[in-house]
Amino acid sequence: MAVTRTSRDGIAVVTFDNPPVNGLGLDIRRGLAEALAAANADDAIQGIVITGGGRVFSGGADIKEFNTPRATQAPNLHDLIAAVEASIKPVCIAINGTALGGGLELALGANYRVANAKAEVGLPEVKIGILPGAGGTQRLPRAVGLEAALNMIVSGASVPAAQLAGTDLFDRVVEGDVVDAAVELLVQKIAAGGPHPRVRDRKVEHDDAQGFLAWARMGVAAASKHFPAPLRCVDAVAASLKPFDEGMAVEREGFTVLVESPESRALRHAFFGERAAGKIDDIGADVRPRSNDRVGIVGAGTMGGGIAMNFLNAGIPVALVETTQQALDRGVATIGRNYENSAKKGKLTAEQVAQRMGLLTPSLDYAVLADADLVIEAVYEDYAVKQSVFGKIDAVARPGAILATNTSTLDVDRIATFTSRPQDVLGLHFFSPANVMRLLEVVRGAQTAKDVMATAMAMAKRIRKTAVVSGVCDGFIGNRMIEQYSRQAGFLLDEGALPQQVDRAMEAFGFAMGPFRMGDLAGNDIGWAIRKRRYIERPDMVYARNADLLCEMGRYGQKTGKGWYDYVPGDRTPHPSAEVEAMIVAQSRAQGIERREIGDDEIVERLVYALVNEGARILEEGIAARASDIDIVYLSGYGFPVWRGGPMFHADQVGLYNVLAAMRRYARGHRGDAWEPAPLLLELAGSGRAFNDPPARPRAVAA
């Protein structure tokens, strides 16, 4: 981390370097302020160029300083921008690469800006529930116009510098060296004499500003009902029509309100949680990942084909193995059809489709896996089937190849014993549809080697997955928790609720789908198969009978045209079923349960707190390293509302004392034995702590 100063043609060139993204941490801010002051005091210097080291100008605030006093300690970003703006000698920012957030706001404080044509700029603060707080909402509209600025700020999207070349944001956009261009520009501007412009002194021009802003407010309000930040962004940008200092006051007020909002706290939690999930505490930078340039997949069904697409999309060759030509042809055709549909929507070109399909090698012979660096099994969830497949893989895979199972519930350690190399085996649990869903549970076995884990995490980044490490247990993190959620949903039907009421309550809370709609989508027979195994392995675990009865009626979900709901052919709209309602009511009567009115609040609490309680067990057992890992699993893979931050974060916000009190209340009702509190929940609630409190985390993941 350093700030250096050189000079060229009477121009001071100040370079700051804080890898990996040149975050504007306190030391960098101090160094820049001191270099700026020194250049202004040097009679030999006529102008100042500021640029970033490496390939990035600045990604904005230094995330290592978030939630610490250093983030706002003087000179803060406002102080630094004020110093740039007040410089007695002209300042040009040379944007050598990405300039986001505070990096772009710093650039907007300068007199001139030169950017590399390949650089991207943006103000992404809305993505963590806040708005640009260092003048971005006031200066950007003055530089690029009201509409362009509003679109950038409300979306948080980055824009190529070349796209903004005709605006006042950039004085020059160049293909070559930006520092050379910036020095040349300053020399010319100084020679020309006259005052040097400031963005804050410009006026925002628009033919119908109020009409545009009214239209924008309506659109933003409709698209962001659970998020207050986008509308606050509109208000702040609208204030750029006022005198600069008045607009800044509106920006500061909006920032202050948003940063304390529950939505922003949740989004920031998710932001940092996702980054923390990629780190494994006992695996340092000294552990080198293995190569991962060729992949083999056994099973060309829905999961296998979807998994294959992830690697094909990343330009990685895939060998796809099946047992019959018919299954293989069907799998390859599905992959091709998916790509063709993307091409029809303009997401891929015909050349890209051909290139990806050209990387696919379909085969009926396991020998095609011999040169694969990673082999993933994606076959039926049965130990005997897995044993047969892994025996064949083990016989042909090269030494050092990583062998992965895509199992969603089975024991990865047991599967590892089906090979002669358990140290090379791990779980890679993709979520369906695997080519769309972001989540990847990386399951660490008892003997999984550290470099295997490092390879898996690096691979996840390469194929753009959000990877979360799990220890070995039945269902891992996500499915183990969802089972308790589903059990409570079944008990609610016994007691008086109907599927549509439960789904409606959970969707109003913010879930993408309620449990019964989700069951119909995934296939109710999948849960049935798991319960059948549970009845043998866990006879102590009691389930409501209605889900089994549903399957005995042949109502497996959308694939059979009927499940918890009825469906019309070609239409996935769920319609309440009189047959299912009659079955549910009869089942309550058979158990001697008097049905009652159940409020939506009870539905939400019972389902969400069932997740939380099982999450606490997962945490105390070391299956997950940190509470935020559990939250990332649910935000990325299970449709938990992002503005609530995940089940464990939500429980923290409610207060663990209150969560525990509600659980004890529900324990007095039907199937109250399902509400035994996890010891960790009791401990934290009793001490006034939270799941996401730093002292309680991280934990080593159990193998």
Coordinates of all heavy atoms in Angstrom, one line a residue, residues 638-677:
Y638 N -32.2 -20.6 -2.1 CA -33.5 -21.0 -1.7 C -34.6 -19.9 -1.7 O -35.7 -20.0 -1.2 CB -33.5 -21.6 -0.2 CG -32.8 -22.9 -0.2 CD1 -31.4 -23.0 -0.1 CD2 -33.5 -24.1 -0.2 CE1 -30.8 -24.2 -0.1 CE2 -32.9 -25.3 -0.2 CZ -31.5 -25.4 -0.1 OH -30.9 -26.6 -0.1
G639 N -34.2 -18.8 -2.3 CA -35.2 -17.7 -2.5 C -35.6 -16.9 -1.3 O -36.6 -16.3 -1.2
F640 N -34.7 -17.0 -0.2 CA -34.9 -16.2 1.0 C -34.8 -14.7 0.6 O -33.9 -14.3 -0.2 CB -33.9 -16.5 2.1 CG -34.4 -16.1 3.4 CD1 -35.0 -17.0 4.3 CD2 -34.1 -14.8 3.9 CE1 -35.4 -16.6 5.6 CE2 -34.5 -14.4 5.2 CZ -35.2 -15.3 6.0
P641 N -35.7 -13.8 1.1 CA -35.7 -12.4 0.6 C -34.4 -11.7 1.0 O -34.0 -11.7 2.2 CB -36.9 -11.8 1.4 CG -37.2 -12.7 2.5 CD -36.8 -14.1 2.0
V642 N -33.7 -11.2 0.0 CA -32.4 -10.6 0.2 C -32.5 -9.4 1.1 O -31.5 -9.1 1.9 CB -31.7 -10.2 -1.1 CG1 -32.5 -9.1 -1.8 CG2 -30.3 -9.8 -1.0
W643 N -33.6 -8.7 1.1 CA -33.7 -7.5 2.0 C -33.8 -7.9 3.5 O -33.8 -7.0 4.3 CB -34.8 -6.6 1.5 CG -36.2 -7.2 1.7 CD1 -37.0 -7.1 2.7 CD2 -36.9 -7.9 0.7 NE1 -38.2 -7.7 2.5 CE2 -38.2 -8.3 1.2 CE3 -36.6 -8.3 -0.6 CZ2 -39.1 -9.0 0.5 CZ3 -37.5 -9.1 -1.3 CH2 -38.7 -9.4 -0.7
R644 N -34.0 -9.2 3.7 CA -34.0 -9.6 5.1 C -32.7 -10.3 5.5 O -32.5 -10.7 6.7 CB -35.2 -10.6 5.3 CG -36.5 -9.9 5.1 CD -37.7 -10.9 5.5 NE -39.0 -10.4 5.1 CZ -39.7 -9.5 5.8 NH1 -39.2 -8.9 6.9 NH2 -40.9 -9.1 5.4
G645 N -31.8 -10.4 4.6 CA -30.4 -10.8 4.9 C -30.1 -12.3 5.2 O -29.0 -12.6 5.5
G646 N -31.1 -13.1 5.1 CA -30.9 -14.6 5.3 C -31.6 -14.9 6.7 O -31.8 -14.1 7.5
P647 N -31.8 -16.2 6.9 CA -32.5 -16.6 8.2 C -31.8 -16.3 9.4 O -32.4 -15.8 10.4 CB -32.7 -18.1 8.0 CG -31.7 -18.5 7.0 CD -31.5 -17.4 6.1
M648 N -30.5 -16.4 9.5 CA -29.7 -16.2 10.7 C -29.7 -14.7 11.0 O -29.8 -14.2 12.2 CB -28.4 -16.8 10.7 CG -28.3 -18.3 10.2 SD -29.5 -19.4 11.0 CE -28.6 -19.7 12.5
F649 N -29.4 -13.9 10.0 CA -29.4 -12.4 10.1 C -30.8 -11.9 10.5 O -30.9 -11.0 11.4 CB -28.9 -11.8 8.8 CG -28.8 -10.3 8.9 CD1 -27.7 -9.7 9.5 CD2 -29.8 -9.5 8.5 CE1 -27.6 -8.3 9.5 CE2 -29.7 -8.1 8.5 CZ -28.6 -7.5 9.1
H650 N -31.8 -12.5 9.9 CA -33.2 -12.1 10.2 C -33.5 -12.3 11.7 O -34.0 -11.5 12.4 CB -34.2 -12.8 9.4 CG -35.6 -12.5 9.7 ND1 -36.2 -11.3 9.5 CD2 -36.6 -13.4 10.3 CE1 -37.5 -11.4 10.0 NE2 -37.7 -12.6 10.4
A651 N -33.0 -13.5 12.2 CA -33.2 -13.8 13.6 C -32.5 -12.9 14.5 O -33.0 -12.5 15.6 CB -32.8 -15.3 13.9
D652 N -31.3 -12.5 14.1 CA -30.5 -11.5 14.9 C -31.3 -10.2 15.0 O -31.3 -9.5 16.0 CB -29.1 -11.3 14.2 CG -28.2 -12.4 14.4 OD1 -28.4 -13.3 15.2 OD2 -27.1 -12.4 13.7
Q653 N -31.9 -9.8 13.9 CA -32.6 -8.5 13.8 C -33.9 -8.6 14.7 O -34.3 -7.6 15.4 CB -33.0 -8.1 12.4 CG -31.8 -7.9 11.5 CD -30.7 -7.0 12.1 OE1 -30.9 -5.9 12.3 NE2 -29.5 -7.6 12.3
V654 N -34.6 -9.7 14.7 CA -35.8 -9.9 15.5 C -35.3 -9.9 17.0 O -36.0 -9.4 17.9 CB -36.5 -11.2 15.1 CG1 -37.6 -11.6 16.2 CG2 -37.1 -11.1 13.7
G655 N -34.2 -10.5 17.2 CA -33.7 -10.7 18.6 C -33.8 -12.2 19.0 O -34.9 -12.7 18.9
L656 N -32.7 -12.8 19.3 CA -32.7 -14.2 19.6 C -33.6 -14.5 20.8 O -34.2 -15.6 20.9 CB -31.3 -14.8 19.8 CG -30.4 -14.6 18.6 CD1 -29.2 -15.5 18.7 CD2 -31.1 -15.1 17.3
Y657 N -33.7 -13.6 21.8 CA -34.6 -13.8 22.9 C -36.0 -13.9 22.4 O -36.8 -14.8 22.9 CB -34.5 -12.6 23.9 CG -35.4 -12.6 25.1 CD1 -35.0 -13.3 26.3 CD2 -36.7 -12.1 25.0 CE1 -35.9 -13.3 27.3 CE2 -37.5 -12.1 26.1 CZ -37.1 -12.8 27.2 OH -38.0 -12.8 28.3
N658 N -36.4 -13.1 21.5 CA -37.8 -13.1 21.0 C -38.0 -14.4 20.1 O -39.1 -14.9 20.1 CB -38.0 -11.9 20.1 CG -38.0 -10.6 20.9 OD1 -38.4 -10.6 22.1 ND2 -37.5 -9.5 20.4
V659 N -37.0 -14.8 19.4 CA -37.1 -16.0 18.6 C -37.4 -17.2 19.5 O -38.3 -18.0 19.3 CB -35.9 -16.3 17.7 CG1 -35.9 -17.7 17.1 CG2 -35.7 -15.2 16.6
L660 N -36.6 -17.3 20.6 CA -36.7 -18.4 21.5 C -38.1 -18.4 22.2 O -38.7 -19.4 22.4 CB -35.6 -18.3 22.6 CG -35.4 -19.4 23.6 CD1 -35.2 -20.8 22.8 CD2 -34.3 -19.2 24.5
A661 N -38.5 -17.2 22.6 CA -39.8 -17.1 23.2 C -40.9 -17.6 22.3 O -41.9 -18.3 22.7 CB -40.1 -15.6 23.6
A662 N -40.9 -17.2 21.0 CA -41.9 -17.7 20.1 C -41.8 -19.2 19.9 O -42.8 -19.9 19.9 CB -41.7 -17.1 18.7
M663 N -40.6 -19.8 19.9 CA -40.5 -21.2 19.7 C -41.1 -22.0 20.9 O -41.7 -23.0 20.8 CB -39.0 -21.6 19.6 CG -38.4 -21.2 18.3 SD -36.6 -21.5 18.2 CE -36.4 -23.2 18.8
R664 N -40.9 -21.4 22.1 CA -41.4 -22.0 23.3 C -43.0 -21.9 23.3 O -43.7 -22.8 23.8 CB -40.9 -21.3 24.6 CG -39.4 -21.8 24.8 CD -38.7 -21.0 25.9 NE -37.5 -21.6 26.3 CZ -36.5 -20.9 26.9 NH1 -36.6 -19.6 27.2 NH2 -35.4 -21.6 27.2
R665 N -43.5 -20.9 22.7 CA -44.9 -20.8 22.6 C -45.5 -21.8 21.7 O -46.5 -22.5 22.0 CB -45.2 -19.4 22.1 CG -46.7 -19.0 22.1 CD -46.9 -17.5 21.9 NE -46.5 -17.0 20.6 CZ -45.4 -16.2 20.4 NH1 -44.7 -15.8 21.4 NH2 -45.1 -15.9 19.1
Y666 N -44.8 -22.1 20.5 CA -45.3 -23.1 19.6 C -45.0 -24.5 20.1 O -45.7 -25.4 19.7 CB -44.6 -22.9 18.2 CG -44.9 -21.5 17.6 CD1 -43.9 -20.7 17.1 CD2 -46.2 -21.1 17.5 CE1 -44.2 -19.5 16.5 CE2 -46.6 -19.9 17.0 CZ -45.5 -19.1 16.5 OH -45.9 -17.8 15.9
A667 N -44.1 -24.6 21.0 CA -43.9 -26.0 21.6 C -45.0 -26.5 22.4 O -45.1 -27.7 22.7 CB -42.6 -25.9 22.4
R668 N -45.9 -25.6 22.8 CA -47.1 -26.0 23.6 C -48.2 -26.5 22.7 O -49.3 -26.9 23.2 CB -47.6 -24.8 24.4 CG -46.6 -24.3 25.5 CD -47.2 -23.4 26.5 NE -47.6 -22.1 25.9 CZ -46.7 -21.1 25.9 NH1 -45.5 -21.2 26.5 NH2 -47.1 -19.9 25.4
G669 N -48.1 -26.4 21.4 CA -49.1 -26.9 20.5 C -48.8 -28.2 19.9 O -48.1 -29.0 20.4
H670 N -49.5 -28.5 18.8 CA -49.4 -29.8 18.0 C -47.9 -30.0 17.6 O -47.3 -29.1 17.1 CB -50.3 -29.8 16.8 CG -50.2 -31.0 16.0 ND1 -50.6 -32.2 16.4 CD2 -49.8 -31.1 14.7 CE1 -50.4 -33.1 15.4 NE2 -49.9 -32.5 14.4
R671 N -47.4 -31.2 17.8 CA -46.1 -31.6 17.5 C -45.1 -30.6 18.1 O -44.1 -30.2 17.5 CB -45.9 -31.7 16.0 CG -46.7 -32.6 15.2 CD -46.7 -34.1 15.6 NE -45.4 -34.5 16.2 CZ -45.2 -35.7 16.9 NH1 -46.3 -36.5 17.0 NH2 -44.1 -36.0 17.4
G672 N -45.3 -30.3 19.3 CA -44.4 -29.4 20.0 C -43.0 -29.9 20.2 O -42.0 -29.2 20.4
D673 N -42.8 -31.3 20.1 CA -41.5 -31.9 20.3 C -40.6 -31.4 19.1 O -39.3 -31.6 19.2 CB -41.6 -33.4 20.3 CG -42.4 -34.0 19.1 OD1 -43.2 -33.2 18.5 OD2 -42.1 -35.1 18.7
A674 N -41.1 -30.9 18.1 CA -40.2 -30.4 17.0 C -39.5 -29.1 17.3 O -38.7 -28.6 16.5 CB -41.1 -30.2 15.7
W675 N -39.9 -28.5 18.5 CA -39.3 -27.2 18.8 C -38.3 -27.2 20.0 O -38.1 -26.3 20.7 CB -40.5 -26.3 19.3 CG -41.3 -25.8 18.1 CD1 -42.6 -26.2 17.8 CD2 -40.9 -25.0 17.0 NE1 -43.0 -25.6 16.7 CE2 -42.0 -24.9 16.2 CE3 -39.7 -24.3 16.7 CZ2 -42.0 -24.1 15.0 CZ3 -39.7 -23.5 15.6 CH2 -40.8 -23.4 14.7
E676 N -37.5 -28.3 20.1 CA -36.5 -28.3 21.1 C -35.4 -27.4 20.6 O -34.8 -27.5 19.6 CB -35.9 -29.7 21.2 CG -34.8 -29.8 22.2 CD -34.1 -31.2 22.3 OE1 -34.6 -32.1 21.7 OE2 -33.1 -31.3 23.0
P677 N -35.1 -26.3 21.5 CA -34.1 -25.3 21.0 C -32.7 -25.9 20.9 O -32.3 -26.7 21.7 CB -34.2 -24.2 22.1 CG -35.5 -24.5 22.9 CD -35.7 -26.0 22.8

